[in-house]
């Protein structure tokens, strides 16, 4: 980034996209499924809406409803505060080269 450049500049353009997803939260041996959907998406991450309480820094798997059978591992970058217009939203960063089959999972 150039000196003096806006530090909040995005690395890639977000596109509005409402796509159903399943979030796998926990470990492979004991994951819990939650339904949600994307609000927008980019090459490097997504903003999602779901009823699950996520924590900043948490690693989760995102399974698209279309093309089920693989998961995209993602890190939670931010979580919207309750009582605000961002409640129920979270920002995810896709982890590089972390796509994985979920054939053995419930997804």
């Amino acid at each position: 980034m150039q000196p003096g450049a806006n530090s909040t500049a995005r690395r890639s353009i977000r596109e509005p996209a409402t796509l159903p997803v399943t979030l796998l939260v926990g470990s492979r041996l004991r994951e819990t499924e939650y339904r949600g959907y994307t609000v927008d998406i980019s090459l490097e991450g997504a903003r999602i809406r779901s009823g699950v309480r996520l924590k900043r820094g948490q690693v989760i798997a995102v399974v698209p409803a279309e093309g089920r059978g693989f998961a995209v591992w993602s890190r939670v970058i931010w979580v919207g505060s309750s009582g605000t217009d961002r409640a129920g939203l979270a920002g995810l960063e896709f982890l590089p080269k972390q796509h994985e089959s979920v054939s053995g999972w419930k997804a």
Side-chain angles (χ1 to χ4, degrees):
M1 188 176 291
Q2 296 293 329
N6 183 352
S7 62
T8 60
R10 299 218 146 271
R11 291 180 284 177
S12 50
I13 297 171
R14 286 196 280 187
E15 296 291 336
T18 303
L19 306 168
V21 294
T22 299
L23 307 175
L24 301 176
V25 180
S27 70
R28 287 180 146 186
L29 299 176
R30 189 177 162 163
E31 81 282 351
T32 303
E33 292 184 15
Y34 297 94
R35 302 287 181 230
Y37 60 91
T38 63
V39 174
D40 54 41
I41 195 163
S42 74
L43 292 174
E44 298 178 0
R47 181 169 37 155
I48 60 163
R49 179 173 296 279
S50 178
V52 62
R53 287 184 67 122
L54 298 171
K55 296 178 184 173
R56 190 169 172 247
Q58 185 175 17
V59 175
I60 64 172
V62 179
V63 181
E66 299 281 328
R68 288 179 67 119
F70 75 93
V72 179
W73 288 95
S74 306
R75 177 175 292 112
V76 178
I77 300 300
W78 61 266
V79 177
S81 300
S82 61
T84 70
D85 61 344
R86 289 174 47 152
L89 295 173
L92 304 180
E93 173 187 38
F94 299 146
L95 298 176
K97 299 180 184 177
Q98 295 293 319
H99 305 280
E100 185 173 314
S101 170
V102 291
S103 59
W105 289 21
K106 296 183 284 183

